Structure formats: C-alpha cells, structure tokens
Amino acid sequence: MAEDGELLRLEGIKKRFGPVDVLRGVDMSIRPAEAVGLIGDNGAGKSTLVKILAGVYAPSGGAVSVDGSPVRFADPMGARAAGIEVIYQDLALCDDLDITANVYLGREPRRRVGPFLWLDRRRMRREVREVLSRLDIDIPPGKAAGELSGGQRQLVAVARALEFSPRLLLMDEPTAALSNQKIHHLLDLVARLKAQGVAVLLISHRFTDIIELCDRVLAMRDGRIAAEIVPGERPAPEMMAEMQEALSGEAAPA
C-alpha cells in the first residue's frame, strides 16, 4: 500500500526473460521533488527496472502505484501520460532526423488549416530553441542528430525529456558521454528540477555525483535492492564502503 505523499511505489517487482530472473522482487518508493540514486554492477537489473517504469517492459510480477493508485503501463505512452520521462543510456536518437524532429518524435503538435492537419513546425522549432537555451546548448535545432558529438547527443536526449514537463525523470547513466563541465551543468539542472517539484531516479556509476545530488541512494545486486543510504548522515568514505559491501554481498570484517 502506497504511503501518503508518494509519487511512485514499487512492491515486489519481478522480471523474467525465459529461464532468467533479472528482477527478483524490487521494493522502492519515490516522493515528489526527491532525487533517488541507483547504483549497481552490470547485470544487476538497473536498466530493466527503468524500462519497466518507462512502459517498455511489463513486469512478470509485483505492483506499481502512482499517486497511491495501481497502474500497469501497456506502452511508453502510458508512462508518459503518468508524467514519467526517460533518458536511456543509448539515447535512442534517430541520426537521420534533426534535433527538432528527435525531440518531438511520435508527439508532434499539429495545426488545422481548413480540413487538413499539418505539423506545426514553427511551434516545434520555437519550443526546441527554448529548451536548448535552458540547457545552454548552442546547437541549431535543424542540425541532424548524426552530426552531433556524444556529449551533444546526450544533452539533446535531456532536452527531449524536459520538453514534456515530467513529474518523474528517469536518467540511465546521463553523464556517461559528458565532459566534467557539462556534468556539473547537468547536475545543476537536476537540482533546479527538484526545486520545481520534479522527482528524479538517477542511475550512475559516478558515486560522487550521486551522493552530491541525491536524497537517498539505493544499491542493487542480483535483481534486488541490497542497501539504502542517506547522503550526509556519515562521512563519504564510510558510505562508499557500505555500498561496496552491499554490491559485493560480503559483510565488512568485524
């Protein structure tokens, strides 16, 4: 049962692909304006969990609640209707389309001219310029995604998610292709989103970024949440040691 004030709650989420159990009963909650970090080794199930929340995969078991009501997303549009946007590790950009088309892909606004509906390209370009400006991205909206650097592609994926005013933003390794300067810019942006009431689930291998930004950090191992820590309660080296213990499954020596 979801507690009052929770935006999202997962209870016993499982996912099986054939004979392989990828998620083995994940329990997790996120409140509005809360940033939750998720860390774990490759194969721990982090990206699979994100795809369940984004409506790409259906869980094999367990329950998902949004605002205290049970939901079951049939597809990504269902997750988006609930205010959940995602930035995937592989970015999912179409190289032969320009930035504007990538931002609005599948959600293009239209305007009526007589009996006909036309893509509202003027509005799309205007609003993409605005969101790029918010991210301090100096790239023409008409530039093809295939011509962008890795860091520019990452920021375009962020722009696409922010264009639709998410309530919960899922970020799967968002800093992987960014320079240190752009990483700090992105983390500042996430802090501003939190101030506006947006919740964030941040998957990252950069533990220092997670403890700087997140209200809670979850360690995932073998398809389960193995530990939870609250940054600021103890010195960073102690928290890092606890995370390493949780990820390895070994208790620290007495």
Side-chain angles (χ1 to χ4, degrees):
M1 189 72 175
E3 297 181 9
D4 290 343
E6 287 182 340
L7 172 59
L8 176 79
R9 172 167 281 271
L10 308 182
E11 296 178 290
I13 293 297
K14 300 178 181 179
K15 184 60 182 178
R16 170 175 288 186
F17 295 101
V20 180
D21 290 315
V22 178
L23 299 180
R24 303 167 181 264
V26 174
D27 297 317
M28 185 175 71
S29 65
I30 302 177
R31 293 180 177 275
E34 183 181 35
V36 176
L38 187 62
I39 194 168
D41 294 332
N42 291 338
K46 305 183 303 297
S47 292
T48 298
L49 181 63
V50 166
K51 289 180 179 178
I52 286 176
L53 294 178
V56 176
Y57 295 152
S60 303
V64 180
S65 298
V66 174
D67 295 327
S69 299
V71 296
R72 190 172 182 87
F73 303 133
D75 53 37
M77 296 307 293
R80 287 169 176 166
I84 299 174
E85 291 286 341
V86 60
I87 303 169
Y88 291 111
Q89 189 173 1
D90 60 7
L91 305 184
L93 299 182
C94 297
D95 287 348
D96 57 340
L97 298 180
D98 64 20
I99 293 173
T100 298
N102 268 287
V103 168
Y104 277 97
L105 190 62
R107 293 179 284 185
E108 297 85 352
R110 288 171 167 80
R111 59 188 177 89
R112 182 174 295 279
V113 179
F116 303 106
L117 285 176
W118 299 86
L119 291 182
D120 194 344
R121 299 185 186 277
R122 181 179 299 175
R123 172 186 165 188
M124 290 164 59
R125 286 192 296 269
R126 182 183 69 249
E127 294 184 353
V128 168
R129 285 193 191 96
E130 290 174 359
V131 73
L132 292 177
S133 177
R134 287 173 58 196
L135 290 169
D136 195 24
I137 305 174
D138 186 19
I139 311 172
K143 190 169 185 176
E147 300 175 6
L148 304 177
S149 69
Q152 289 173 327
R153 292 169 63 86
Q154 186 72 271
L155 291 173
V156 168
V158 174
R160 180 175 56 191
L162 297 185
E163 177 62 17
F164 298 95
S165 302
R167 300 179 64 205
L168 171 61
L169 182 59
L170 313 174
M171 308 180 78
D172 191 352
E173 295 286 359
T175 62
L178 299 182
S179 66
N180 284 333
Q181 180 181 2
K182 290 297 185 183
I183 287 172
H184 289 300
H185 184 78
L186 180 61
L187 296 179
D188 287 343
L189 173 68
V190 172
R192 294 201 302 271
L193 289 173
K194 284 181 55 184
Q196 297 170 17
V198 179
V200 178
L201 177 63
L202 175 63
I203 297 175
S204 178
H205 66 283
R206 293 171 57 99
F207 189 75
T208 52
D209 293 342
I210 282 184
I211 63 173
E212 177 184 338
L213 179 69
C214 294
D215 302 294
R216 292 182 291 127
V217 181
L218 308 176
M220 195 167 188
R221 178 171 58 86
D222 296 333
R224 295 187 178 93
I225 302 300
E228 174 181 323
I229 66 170
V230 178
E233 288 188 341
R234 297 188 307 283
E238 291 184 17
M239 292 188 290
M240 293 179 69
E242 182 179 344
M243 278 288 154
Q244 289 300 324
E245 295 163 15
L247 296 178
S248 67
E250 298 177 358

